[in-house]
Amino acid sequence: MFDRNIRRLVGAAGAIAVAAGFAVTVGAGVADAASNSVTWTDGNSKFTRTISNVNPRAGDTITSTTRFERTSSVMEFIYWVKDWHPTCLTPLSARVGSNPNGYDSFESYGIDSNGKNGDWTKLDGNLTKWSVNSPTLSGRPTYPSHRTFEITYKVEAKCDRDVPLDTGMSYKGSLGSGTYKTKGPAITVQKDQPVISLSAAADVPFTQSATLTATVTDSAEVDKIDFYDGTTKIGTGPLNNKGVATFDWTPDTPGQHSLTAKYVGNSRAEPSESSAQTVQVSDAEITTVLTGPEAADIGSESTFTAQMSPVPSGGTVQFKDGAANMGDPVPVDADGKANITRTFDSQGTHTIIAEYSGTDGFARSTSDGLPVPVSEAETTVMLTPPASAARGAAVDLVAQITPAIGGGVVQFKDGDTDLGSPVLVGADGKASTTHTFRSAGDHEITAVYSGTLGHRGSTSGPVTITVTDDGGTGSPGNIFGS
């Protein structure tokens, strides 16, 4: 009875024991996993509470242990023990230990109840189940000299970080009761330390998109990941429910790129950065497609167009007729095109190709050969007859060459007989002569064009001119050539 009265007088003022030097703390710094203990006395009872790791992280398991000892010869029976803890701890299992034979031993024990608010876990005994003797009696050791209550918890992600969270205990025994809800040791849940791994293709063609994938482990607090090319932030990807963030990256320069994935951190998780991944951005492959006429005439202009895909940022195209350059290189425009106009001076099949020079980030490229058959252009001759003809009177004969090209000659004929010498064709495509018919009757007149470089010769259709003796009007007949 004396012991119980002492317990009640002192129990409400347990802090006095700590101030008097009975609290003992053992452990490492905040950043490391550390076991801490606090010891105090209340009347003739000595209590030691130990937390296996006072600096846990979310997902860890920790153990809270309360050890009862007596400092007097009066034995006490423990009826129940409540372990007070942060509501973010989930109790997993319990054990009760003692040293009935002088050796410590533990037995698993069922958790009897938990606090309505989730802030305590209770183990119930009975009137005689859990005894605690004084360490010695008449100079001899007695057993059990202590009783230990151990509860294992899981640290949940909802715990506040970097804030001391109180722990403690309360109990009821045969000599009284005690309540020490915040006696300690306090638990400080550390910020998560996310681990980020980054995956990316080792080689990426310039201008093409590549998916960067960041996978986050060891934290449920990360919501997004920033992706970097060297020191330049290139984008952000939200984290999905599998802890993965992605970003589609299109390189802006060729060469080597050092890519990382970073998390900036928040009140519940530390900043983190992946290892750098080196990605080689190679020159983009270019396809050059050449288009032009299916056929061409000598002396006529033909236009050829080279289209580069994807569109490069510069460079030139050298057009070639076989192995011979067709003029100077042509700059590629903003649409990825280059054009050239060529006039062929020889007939036959000409194979045209386009060679793209390449530029920063874009590879060289050569088109397929484009065969172009080149031939002489067709011509037609139209003969214009006089309105009338009379024997012995001079008349004008005019031949029009189409297309209207200069060069070549026209031989006017009366049947198979040449009417004078060949006549040069002027720049307007015309040739004319003056002729005096010596006989009356029908005369079949034609104009035979010799052709010139790139243009075939041709003959007009026959024109029948009726020549009269009396100066009458002749009939013009068919005036169109062939």
Side-chain angles (χ1 to χ4, degrees):
M1 182 65 70
F2 176 78
D3 188 87
R4 175 177 296 186
N5 290 337
I6 293 296
R7 173 86 40 83
R8 288 176 175 173
L9 287 172
V10 183
I16 296 175
V18 178
F22 291 98
V24 178
T25 301
V26 179
V30 171
D32 301 321
S35 170
N36 263 9
S37 298
V38 58
T39 299
W40 73 97
T41 59
D42 189 349
N44 291 317
S45 291
K46 178 181 178 182
F47 309 97
T48 301
R49 278 185 51 79
T50 300
I51 302 296
S52 62
N53 180 8
V54 294
N55 301 310
R57 299 188 186 276
D60 288 351
T61 56
I62 62 174
T63 300
S64 171
T65 303
T66 301
R67 179 183 175 112
F68 289 76
E69 296 176 272
R70 297 289 294 160
T71 61
S72 73
S73 61
V74 180
M75 181 176 64
E76 182 172 18
F77 290 94
I78 308 301
Y79 297 158
W80 55 257
V81 175
K82 284 183 180 179
D83 194 77
W84 292 83
H85 56 81
T87 58
C88 62
L89 300 187
T90 299
L92 301 176
S93 61
R95 297 195 307 170
V96 178
S98 65
N99 59 341
N101 301 310
Y103 302 99
D104 289 348
S105 64
F106 281 86
E107 292 183 356
S108 297
Y109 200 84
I111 295 171
D112 292 293
S113 58
N114 290 292
K116 180 178 179 181
N117 297 323
D119 54 354
W120 55 260
T121 298
K122 186 179 181 183
L123 304 181
D124 282 321
N126 56 36
L127 295 178
T128 60
K129 189 171 186 176
W130 293 329
S131 62
V132 183
N133 293 319
S134 63
T136 60
L137 184 63
S138 301
R140 299 181 63 183
T142 59
Y143 303 109
S145 61
H146 63 78
R147 186 71 60 173
T148 302
F149 299 88
E150 177 187 281
I151 300 176
T152 298
Y153 299 93
K154 179 182 178 182
V155 181
E156 302 291 353
K158 63 184 178 181
C159 288
D160 291 336
R161 306 297 200 271
D162 287 348
V163 177
L165 305 175
D166 290 330
T167 73
M169 71 90 173
S170 59
Y171 80 101
K172 184 175 182 180
S174 59
L175 299 180
S177 61
T179 299
Y180 319 96
K181 294 182 180 180
T182 60
K183 182 64 72 172
I187 298 170
T188 301
V189 180
Q190 302 299 292
K191 289 184 179 182
D192 292 358
Q193 288 186 318
V195 176
I196 304 174
S197 60
L198 176 64
S199 61
D203 189 280
V204 177
F206 184 52
T207 74
Q208 291 190 20
S209 176
T211 299
L212 310 182
T213 302
T215 302
V216 180
T217 56
D218 295 348
S219 178
E221 303 299 328
V222 179
D223 56 350
K224 61 184 179 180
I225 293 295
D226 295 327
F227 295 87
Y228 282 79
D229 180 359
T231 59
T232 302
K233 181 179 175 180
I234 56 178
T236 300
L239 214 67
N240 64 19
N241 57 7
K242 295 182 179 180
V244 175
T246 60
F247 177 72
D248 290 333
W249 168 60
T250 302
D252 57 2
T253 58
Q256 283 193 345
H257 292 251
S258 180
L259 305 182
T260 53
K262 299 180 182 181
Y263 174 61
V264 297
N266 61 17
S267 62
R268 303 175 69 83
E270 300 283 358
S272 183
E273 180 176 345
S274 72
S275 299
Q277 297 292 318
T278 299
V279 175
Q280 179 66 43
V281 177
S282 56
D283 288 348
E285 294 295 328
I286 292 292
T287 299
T288 300
V289 176
L290 178 64
T291 57
E294 294 182 357
D297 293 329
I298 293 175
S300 298
E301 290 186 340
S302 299
T303 298
F304 297 91
T305 300
Q307 174 69 65
M308 273 57 70
S309 298
V311 175
S313 57
T316 60
V317 171
Q318 177 65 65
F319 293 90
K320 289 191 172 186
D321 183 353
N325 291 341
M326 296 168 62
D328 295 328
V330 180
V332 177
D333 65 19
D335 295 325
K337 293 181 179 180
N339 302 286
I340 194 171
T341 299
R342 168 75 187 271
T343 300
F344 293 101
D345 59 7
S346 62
Q347 63 181 356
T349 298
H350 294 249
T351 299
I352 310 304
I353 59 173
E355 293 182 345
Y356 172 60
S357 65
T359 189
D360 288 344
F362 297 91
R364 297 172 61 89
S365 175
T366 300
S367 73
D368 292 335
L370 178 65
V372 181
V374 178
S375 59
E376 292 180 322
E378 297 289 341
T379 62
T380 60
V381 181
M382 185 176 71
L383 180 61
T384 303
S388 62
R391 184 170 56 83
V395 295
D396 291 328
L397 301 177
V398 178
Q400 175 66 59
I401 312 302
T402 303
I405 53 173
V409 296
V410 171
Q411 178 64 64
F412 292 92
K413 285 178 173 285
D414 182 357
D416 294 328
T417 302
D418 291 343
L419 299 180
S421 299
V423 180
L424 290 173
V425 177
D428 57 359
K430 290 182 178 181
S432 62
T433 187
T434 300
H435 179 66
T436 301
F437 291 98
R438 300 300 180 185
S439 62
D442 291 338
H443 293 259
E444 191 174 80
I445 308 302
T446 57
V448 180
Y449 175 53
S450 67
T452 188
L453 179 64
H455 293 79
R456 293 179 181 176
S458 59
T459 300
S460 73
V463 176
T464 300
I465 300 176
T466 301
V467 179
T468 63
D469 278 325
D470 56 4
T473 302
S475 174
N478 178 17
I479 65 173
F480 296 100
S482 59

